[in-house]
Amino acid sequence: MTTIENTTADPGSFAPEEAPRLEWAKHAPEVYKAMIRLDTAAKRGLDPTLCELVKIRASQINHCALCIDMHSKDALAAGESVERIVQLSAWEESRHFYTEKELAAIELTEAVTVLTDGFVPDAVYEKAAAHFEEPELAQLIAAITVINAWNRFGVTCRMTPGHYTPGQHG
């Protein structure tokens, strides 16, 4: 297990780690296995770095600490920079850290994740469509949808971050 250690504070000063509400994968193993298969299929053909950025951004919006932890570690292990991961939460003010294609994917991620107006705006979709061929765009939409499903499991069950090892879930 990987743990994050803060060397500037007394370890006893940290809040206690809370146990998950429910170990959903243990109690719904067929759903968990199906989610793994769906996740694997959704990211097929996508740039791995782009996929991790999308997963981190959706997880930030959804406040899924487990997924932020997991995908930040996977992104770092894949060679992504700390700076780009940190700036992702403020990507609109940090556009110069990302390519136009990445920005289109991040913007689409936000639109698909939030859906507060009940739809993905045409301008956002068209920008993504301009940067991705249709098969890749379909995969991107699938990857965004899948991470949102994972986030719902993680947030609802209050899955605990901090114990993930990069590459653990392939």
Side-chain angles (χ1 to χ4, degrees):
M1 287 189 197
T2 301
T3 57
I4 304 300
E5 199 172 298
N6 184 338
T7 57
T8 62
D10 172 21
S13 66
F14 293 111
E17 183 176 294
E18 293 186 32
R21 282 181 173 162
L22 175 71
E23 293 182 42
W24 77 270
K26 175 181 168 184
H27 298 291
E30 293 306 314
V31 175
Y32 179 75
K33 290 176 194 170
M35 285 294 298
I36 294 288
R37 289 190 304 271
L38 184 59
D39 190 58
T40 300
K43 64 185 177 186
R44 191 167 293 130
L46 289 176
D47 174 80
T49 301
L50 176 80
C51 200
E52 293 303 331
L53 291 174
V54 162
K55 289 178 178 186
I56 295 165
R57 185 64 192 130
S59 300
Q60 290 171 336
I61 294 166
N62 290 323
H63 304 279
C64 185
L66 175 72
C67 292
I68 293 169
D69 176 60
M70 177 185 299
H71 297 295
S72 294
K73 287 176 180 175
D74 282 345
L76 288 167
E80 184 55 84
S81 72
V82 170
E83 191 169 45
R84 283 172 31 107
I85 293 170
V86 169
Q87 291 300 320
L88 194 53
S89 65
W91 68 270
E92 290 176 298
E93 292 81 24
S94 305
R95 298 178 70 81
H96 60 285
F97 286 93
Y98 308 99
T99 67
E100 289 299 321
K101 186 174 184 175
E102 289 168 338
L103 289 167
I106 293 164
E107 191 171 359
L108 183 63
T109 299
E110 290 200 1
V112 172
T113 299
V114 178
L115 289 177
T116 53
D117 294 325
F119 61 92
V120 173
D122 289 340
V124 172
Y125 183 86
E126 289 165 7
K127 189 183 297 180
H131 290 281
F132 294 88
E133 296 293 326
E134 285 186 347
E136 189 180 21
L137 182 58
Q139 291 298 129
L140 176 61
I141 293 167
I144 295 166
T145 302
V146 172
I147 190 57
N148 274 279
W150 281 119
N151 290 165
R152 271 108 182 115
F153 285 116
V155 170
T156 302
C157 298
R158 288 196 183 138
M159 303 304 295
T160 308
H163 302 286
Y164 178 75
T165 302
Q168 184 176 332
H169 294 298

